[in-house]
Amino acid sequence: MRTKTLLAAALIAAAGLTLSACGSDGKNDSAGSAVAEVSAQPKTKAATVLDQPFTKPDLVLTDTKGEQYDLRERTKGKPTLIYFGYTHCPDVCPLTMSNIAIAMKQLPQADRDKLQVVFVTTDPERDTSAELAKWLPSAGDPSFTGLTGDFSTIQAAARSIGIGIDPPKKNKDGTVESMHGAQVIAFSPKTDQGYVLYGEDTSADDYAKDLPKLIQGEKP
């Protein structure tokens, strides 16, 4: 995995969180530490509760059925996890989806039905609706929503919630890098605001512990 750091577009209050990203060339390197500022909450648990919640992106893209999907409208009043990544990612993207899926299986069916998990591709040229429809059930869960569309629209939406992504880059050897922030943002069903952030090191057990509270719109 190529690990880099990308500066988040939105800076919120008090402590620092490094944003990491992945590429698909199988090499390792790093490029310093760009920082997004988040809550001063001590990092004693996986969740970082934000002092200033993010507004849910006003994002209309195409889902795995090839149909228009209005993020705000379709997830209004529902507990929602949003992640930006891509299907050719060698590690962090499928791991994140898998961890959330494992945690979901521990929930009562009624809670599973409420939770919305939205995967927005950072590599829309390769990640078509059909590709997302094939990848998401195996990487995560059939209930997950996959979205694709115009890259600039996706990039702007990611930046609006503090996630940096770069256009996919093709290397001389033919490999492609899609550099993106690897955090999951949880949106409250009570306010539709993004009030909790999870980093790429969040485990399935961490999500299992927090999901019941997130589904109720409570702080983990």
Side-chain angles (χ1 to χ4, degrees), residues 44-158:
T44 58
K45 50 187 178 180
T48 299
V49 178
L50 305 180
D51 287 337
Q52 299 179 26
F54 289 114
T55 298
K56 189 176 291 180
D58 185 8
L59 186 61
V60 180
L61 292 172
T62 303
D63 66 15
T64 54
K65 298 178 182 178
E67 299 175 354
Q68 188 178 83
Y69 187 97
D70 185 321
L71 179 67
R72 285 186 177 175
E73 183 63 30
R74 298 286 289 274
T75 63
K76 184 177 181 181
K78 300 177 182 179
T80 304
L81 303 181
I82 295 178
Y83 181 80
F84 289 80
Y86 68 118
T87 66
H88 290 78
C89 175
D91 33 45
V92 67
C93 299
L95 178 60
T96 299
M97 293 298 99
S98 176
N99 283 341
I100 294 173
I102 291 169
M104 278 184 61
K105 286 180 171 61
Q106 301 179 44
L107 294 171
Q109 187 61 50
D111 284 347
R112 292 182 63 180
D113 291 341
K114 293 175 185 176
L115 183 63
Q116 308 295 302
V117 180
V118 180
F119 180 93
V120 184
T121 182
T122 60
D123 183 15
E125 183 174 343
R126 291 187 295 174
D127 285 348
T128 61
S129 294
E131 185 68 22
L132 288 169
K134 180 174 65 175
W135 182 82
L136 272 175
S138 59
D141 187 89
S143 68
F144 291 179
T145 297
L147 299 179
T148 188
D150 176 68
F151 177 81
S152 62
T153 300
I154 293 169
Q155 184 181 51

Side-chain angles (χ1 to χ4, degrees), residues 41 45 47-50 53 77-81 107 111 114-115 185-198 206-220:
Q41 169 183 292
K45 50 187 178 180
T48 299
V49 178
L50 305 180
K78 300 177 182 179
T80 304
L81 303 181
L107 294 171
D111 284 347
K114 293 175 185 176
L115 183 63
I185 308 293
F187 288 80
S188 169
K190 295 178 179 178
T191 65
D192 282 321
Q193 297 288 297
Y195 69 119
V196 182
L197 179 149
Y198 293 92
D206 292 327
Y207 283 117
K209 180 181 177 181
D210 289 359
L211 284 180
K213 294 181 179 179
L214 297 178
I215 288 169
Q216 298 302 318
E218 300 172 356
K219 293 181 180 179

Side-chain angles (χ1 to χ4, degrees), residues 164-176:
I165 63 175
D166 282 348
K169 174 186 174 184
K170 189 170 185 177
N171 298 315
K172 291 181 180 180
D173 63 0
T175 59
V176 176

